[in-house]
Amino acid sequence: LGGKVMVTGGAGYIGSHAVLALLDAGYDVVVLDNLITGFDWAVDARATLVEMAVEDPRVAAVLAEHRVRAIMHFAGSVVVPESVSDPLKYYRNNTAATRSLIESAVKAGVPHFIFSSTAATYGTPERVPVTETDPTVPINPYGMSKLMSEAMLRDVAAAHPINYAALRYFNVAGADQQGRSGQSTVGATHLIKIAVEAAIGKRAAVSVFGEDFDTRDGTGVRDYIHVSDLAEAHVAALGWLIEHPGESATLNAGYGRGFSVLEVLDAVDRVTNMRVERQMEGRRAGDPAELVANNAAILATLDWTPARADLDGIVRDALAWERKLAEMGR
Ligand code: UDP
């Protein structure tokens, strides 16, 4: 690569796993994180941590100082209900901050950009599995803030010598299998995180949001992807960008299969040999019945072989990290 990879949000959940995957693949890494939701202890010691916001005007100088040749941009706000109550926070932290970072990248001549996008760009898909060329009609400001960033990247890549990969994540879960990182967010809202918190007694029960969806057991179906497979997809995307100058790609990052809420909770029970308490509740606003990736494009494009799709394995890794967090007193 001839320089470093900058990972914004490298102290956060997915970013910290991308840092590990990059380092394991032999890349030099500089992390840019303002440590508002991330943790400095989540950043591997082999990486350089710069405590700075993505939109800081000094970022261009950091890019030059570290001879950054690629940016993986994970930093952002990710709580969907919060995006509804405070949309301007999302258009600032996601859309405007990304605009600033792209501008810094163009000014510094960074040739490659990898962007954390989301299946929320589809809104309620017309068909499942959903494909990259299907309509993107976000149903919340979070999804829109990411879709606007995708549009900026498309237009900038047409005008400047930079290519990009936008990965649309489905439901990310699990933790590094060597116990080096995991989902550490305080007050997380994601199902597998909540379920393993319940499994270790951090919470009494798991709410099941809706049991009358048009799915096999009435609960919502999602495409859960292991965070380490996702991190490796980013490294593969970087390799592809290096080998395909002038080309860019927008790719679903999922396995192409879904599990219901009850199937996830059954997996937790199998892994723990206990039973987590289910609390049946009404639907959450804006939850689609089923969200599953058509992943043909990412499999065909990238040199990436997902290896951790087994649901019990994902739950096992999430649980191991949850226990480690408890030992650390977090
Ligand atoms: N869910 C649930 N209880 C929870 C959290 C989530 O039943 O405490 C359901 C949610 O309605 C959806 C699925 O689990 O069907 C995944 O939700 P999550 O918040 O993890 O991710 P999302 O798909 O909303 O991004």
Side-chain angles (χ1 to χ4, degrees), residues 80 170-171 189-192 194 206-210 213 219-222 224 261 284 287-289 291:
V80 170
F170 283 67
N171 288 64
T189 58
H190 292 123
L191 178 64
I192 290 182
I194 284 183
V206 177
S207 297
V208 177
F209 295 134
F213 287 105
T219 66
V221 169
R222 296 291 183 274
Y224 295 93
V261 174
R284 234 172 26 181
D287 269 357
L291 199 50

Side-chain angles (χ1 to χ4, degrees), residues 278-292:
R278 283 95 163 140
Q279 174 88 42
M280 294 301 175
E281 293 188 32
R283 294 185 182 188
R284 234 172 26 181
D287 269 357
E290 187 169 353
L291 199 50
V292 173

Side-chain angles (χ1 to χ4, degrees), residues 56-65 104 107-108:
D56 195 300
R58 295 171 298 175
V59 166
V62 176
L63 292 171
E65 181 194 342
S104 298
K107 279 184 183 155

